Amino acid sequence: MARPCREGDDLVDATPLRQRRDRTRAEHAPRHRAPGDVENFARSFGALGDIAYQGAQVSASVIDLDNSRNLVAIDDRIALPTASVGKVLLLIEVSAQLSDGSLQPFATVDKHAVGPVGDSGVWQHLQVPALPVLDVASLVGATSDNLATNVLLEHVGLEAVRRRTDALGLARTALLDLVRDSRGPDDAPQLSIGSAAELSWLFAALARGQIIDSVTSNRVIGWLSLNTDLSLVASAFGLDPLAHRATDHGTLLINKTGTDVGVRSEAGVLRGTRAGVSYALTVQFDDASLPARLQVLDAMRSFGTDLLEYVH
């Protein structure tokens, strides 16, 4: 994971970020196999290929953290809806503003500053009307809290999140809007979009302490380490959904998930006894029946099983 902050740490050099932005904006042909001879992910290619054959759009990327080798690349540069995965961009902006002092960690924000919103999260069910910024960010990391997300967006501004995203060189990944119970014709059609290649790079950079600086990256990692949703790729890792911040059987996970009708998405970092990877997988599918949904979840779990076998 990201190394501890040491005296003399500098901001990330903007040159490689600009170079990355130029590369990602170039056109790339879709890829449907692992670069090189990587047999570890045969199970994943079979399961994901099956759902793609039935009409699902699949985008996946896996990067070895030790040597930066691309282990899996399946249409990894196309932008697909990623639901709540895009909230990590908000957490990065909040952490950056905490680092530069424009946002105070114990400043309280009121949940009544925004309209009510349902679905994921617990703040809507709590009596407390206001919480410190740090606690609200923890709610987003732990339960993908929709109300906490909108309160933070009200406080830091969606435009600031967009500027930060562009500065990081992310051309196909974005948080498009606040969370809405329903989307009208004048609203963004999705909460967020992303490419698997950019998301796996982003989580690798967070793990290495390269997003803004190590303090900023570590703060985001800390919030994400609270995530209780291990229902997708991470369902294969055997971890306790409510308590997995420490290494368990040599396994350490940081992840963010996104779920919407016809969308299942996850990005994260997984470390084992032998190796570490960053990964991203998004599936957009016809969510017309429970069997169709369960097949997608089974394929994502197969992907997770291959990740676990690779790192151990």
Side-chain angles (χ1 to χ4, degrees), residues 118-179:
D119 292 334
S120 64
V122 298
W123 200 7
Q124 60 185 303
H125 306 294
L126 302 180
Q127 297 304 307
V128 61
L131 289 169
V133 167
L134 286 176
D135 289 349
V136 178
S138 292
L139 288 176
V140 176
T143 67
S144 199
D145 196 297
N146 286 338
L147 182 56
T149 296
N150 284 356
V151 169
L152 287 177
L153 277 172
E154 174 72 16
H155 207 65
V156 305
L158 182 59
E159 187 56 39
V161 177
R162 290 172 175 166
R163 288 194 300 268
R164 185 74 60 184
T165 302
D166 187 64
L168 292 173
L170 301 174
R172 296 178 174 87
T173 300
L175 182 63
L176 301 176
D177 198 7
L178 50 78
V179 183

Side-chain angles (χ1 to χ4, degrees), residues 41-178:
F41 294 90
R43 183 191 294 108
S44 296
F45 283 100
L48 295 173
D50 285 345
I51 61 174
Y53 183 76
Q54 296 176 37
Q57 284 189 283
V58 177
S59 180
S61 173
V62 181
I63 299 172
D64 188 305
L65 291 176
D66 296 325
N67 55 31
S68 298
R69 183 185 183 192
N70 292 316
L71 302 174
V72 173
I74 302 174
D75 281 348
D76 60 336
R77 296 187 184 276
I78 65 172
L80 291 177
T82 52
S84 291
V85 171
K87 293 174 183 176
V88 70
L89 301 172
L90 169 63
L91 293 179
I92 289 170
E93 178 58 25
V94 170
S95 186
Q97 290 194 21
L98 288 169
S99 293
D100 67 23
S102 57
L103 192 59
Q104 297 304 309
F106 299 108
T108 58
V109 289
D110 195 316
K111 67 181 180 181
H112 299 300
V114 300
V117 62
D119 292 334
S120 64
V122 298
W123 200 7
Q124 60 185 303
H125 306 294
L126 302 180
Q127 297 304 307
V128 61
L131 289 169
V133 167
L134 286 176
D135 289 349
V136 178
S138 292
L139 288 176
V140 176
T143 67
S144 199
D145 196 297
N146 286 338
L147 182 56
T149 296
N150 284 356
V151 169
L152 287 177
L153 277 172
E154 174 72 16
H155 207 65
V156 305
L158 182 59
E159 187 56 39
V161 177
R162 290 172 175 166
R163 288 194 300 268
R164 185 74 60 184
T165 302
D166 187 64
L168 292 173
L170 301 174
R172 296 178 174 87
T173 300
L175 182 63
L176 301 176
D177 198 7
L178 50 78

Side-chain angles (χ1 to χ4, degrees), residues 254-298:
I254 303 295
N255 75 323
K256 182 73 189 79
T257 56
T259 298
D260 203 349
V261 177
V263 175
R264 295 295 186 274
S265 183
E266 180 171 333
V269 171
L270 179 69
R271 285 199 179 275
T273 55
R274 188 183 68 84
V277 294
S278 63
Y279 66 90
L281 173 61
T282 299
V283 182
Q284 186 176 23
F285 62 103
D286 182 6
D287 200 356
S289 68
L290 182 58
R293 180 186 295 177
L294 293 177
Q295 186 177 9
V296 169
L297 296 179
D298 285 344

Side-chain angles (χ1 to χ4, degrees), residues 218-234:
N218 271 322
R219 192 182 290 117
V220 176
I221 289 290
W223 291 328
L224 294 176
S225 71
L226 300 169
N227 186 24
T228 57
D229 185 6
L230 306 187
S231 64
L232 303 178
V233 176

Side-chain angles (χ1 to χ4, degrees), residues 15-29 31 61 63 70 76-79 165-174 194-202:
T15 301
L17 293 177
R18 287 194 298 269
Q19 292 172 343
R20 173 180 172 76
R21 182 168 59 236
D22 293 340
R23 288 197 306 271
T24 56
R25 284 175 175 167
E27 292 297 323
H28 294 269
R31 293 180 286 177
S61 173
I63 299 172
N70 292 316
D76 60 336
R77 296 187 184 276
I78 65 172
T165 302
D166 187 64
L168 292 173
L170 301 174
R172 296 178 174 87
T173 300
S195 80
E198 290 186 343
L199 287 169
S200 61
W201 171 84
L202 181 65

